[in-house]
Amino acid sequence: AQSVSQHNHHVILSEAASLELGCNYSYGGTVNLFWYVQYPGQHLQLLLKYFSGDPLVKGIKGFEAEFIKSKFSFNLRKPSVQWSDTAEYFCAVNARDRDDKIIFGKGTRLHILP
Amino acid sequence: DTAVSQTPKYLVTQMGNDKSIKCEQNLGHDTMYWYKQDSKKFLKIMFSYNNKELIINETVPNRFSPKSPDKAHLNLHINSLELGDSAVYFCASSLGSPAYNSPLHFGNGTRLTVT
């Protein structure tokens, strides 16, 4: 079965620092990839998604992610974080040619210091 | 005009009770889901319905029974509640299957506390 690994459990950065959150998945077939964000006390919201085409996808709030198929990775990046980016970030994968499940990673808690 | 709405937002109950959580979406989506988020924030899929038909049923105790009266509603009934059922339960919907390039839209969650 497919799985998702997020290696950073808790990340602390200062404002204006650059961000990269790692995400690796285990599935050899065709995938859909997602990053979701959960702000404190709120529901999950879609940040960005990759289905096909350009492996560098841009999302909301200045976030982007790059799909590297050879590395089974879909890392999330932002060049300059803000205090309001403090949240939990979830990477998710759907094995497109297998089933309809979206499997989530365990999340990375991002804390931005003002 | 909330897209995916769940009620109640908070639910505190005692072990052994039976409770229900309701979910409604006004997005016109065909597929709805229940996810469970534990205390460590780990999200795990429980069920998925497409047009009132069950399509995903993970290894969830049969004390949990989803019911979809129509494609806009997916309720979750839990019998004989246990301490380990304490979690945040998220309802979600998607236009089609995720396999057809359709991301999830989540509700605000129901925090269930079993004492």
Side-chain angles (χ1 to χ4, degrees):
Chain A
Q2 63 270 33
S3 64
V4 181
S5 296
Q6 292 182 241
H7 311 295
N8 316 103
H9 298 295
H10 194 185
V11 173
I12 302 174
L13 294 171
S14 297
E15 273 194 310
S18 65
L19 170 72
E20 181 160 3
L21 300 183
C23 173
N24 287 91
Y25 65 92
S26 64
Y27 184 68
T30 307
V31 291
N32 294 328
L33 296 159
F34 309 86
W35 275 97
Y36 283 84
V37 61
Q38 186 177 25
Y39 297 105
Q42 295 189 27
H43 62 284
L44 280 86
Q45 303 170 46
L46 182 69
L47 261 185
L48 48 78
K49 61 187 184 292
Y50 171 81
F51 292 146
S52 64
D54 189 344
L56 183 63
V57 292
K58 295 193 183 298
I60 60 172
K61 305 187 182 187
F63 286 91
E64 67 178 29
E66 185 174 12
F67 170 47
I68 303 180
K69 190 174 182 179
S70 61
K71 294 185 178 180
F72 299 91
S73 69
F74 190 56
N75 291 354
L76 181 71
R77 299 195 291 248
K78 185 171 183 177
S80 176
V81 293
Q82 300 172 305
W83 179 77
S84 58
D85 293 326
T86 294
E88 192 95 19
Y89 291 80
F90 294 90
C91 182
V93 65
N94 161 243
R96 194 190 308 173
D97 52 3
R98 179 176 182 152
D99 58 34
D100 294 332
K101 294 183 213 173
I102 292 183
I103 304 299
F104 284 80
K106 293 193 175 184
T108 296
R109 180 167 295 179
L110 176 64
H111 187 76
I112 305 299
L113 302 172
Chain B
D1 60 344
T2 305
V4 181
S5 59
Q6 299 177 226
T7 53
K9 188 172 181 179
Y10 299 97
L11 185 52
V12 181
T13 189
Q14 292 183 326
M15 283 175 56
N17 285 348
D18 304 337
K19 290 292 178 186
S20 292
I21 307 171
K22 295 186 176 181
C23 179
E24 175 182 3
Q25 54 94 4
N26 62 5
L27 296 167
H29 287 173
D30 293 318
T31 309
M32 296 185 72
Y33 311 79
W34 278 110
Y35 277 84
K36 179 181 180 181
Q37 187 176 45
D38 63 22
S39 58
K40 295 184 179 179
K41 298 283 191 175
F42 183 45
L43 262 172
K44 186 168 182 189
I45 189 167
M46 301 173 70
F47 303 102
S48 171
Y49 270 74
N50 181 274
N51 256 323
K52 302 192 295 176
E53 184 181 340
L54 181 66
I55 57 173
I56 294 175
N57 186 351
E58 286 298 279
T59 49
V60 177
N62 57 14
R63 298 182 293 105
F64 290 79
S65 53
K67 283 193 172 46
S68 182
D70 54 62
K71 75 174 192 176
H73 295 84
L74 180 61
N75 304 324
L76 183 65
H77 189 76
I78 315 170
N79 289 328
S80 303
L81 278 155
E82 300 178 357
L83 291 176
D85 298 331
S86 295
V88 181
Y89 292 84
F90 283 99
C91 178
S93 71
S94 63
L95 180 60
S97 157
Y100 293 95
N101 310 333
S102 179
L104 299 174
H105 294 255
F106 282 88
N108 286 329
T110 296
R111 184 175 293 276
L112 171 64
T113 303
V114 182
T115 61

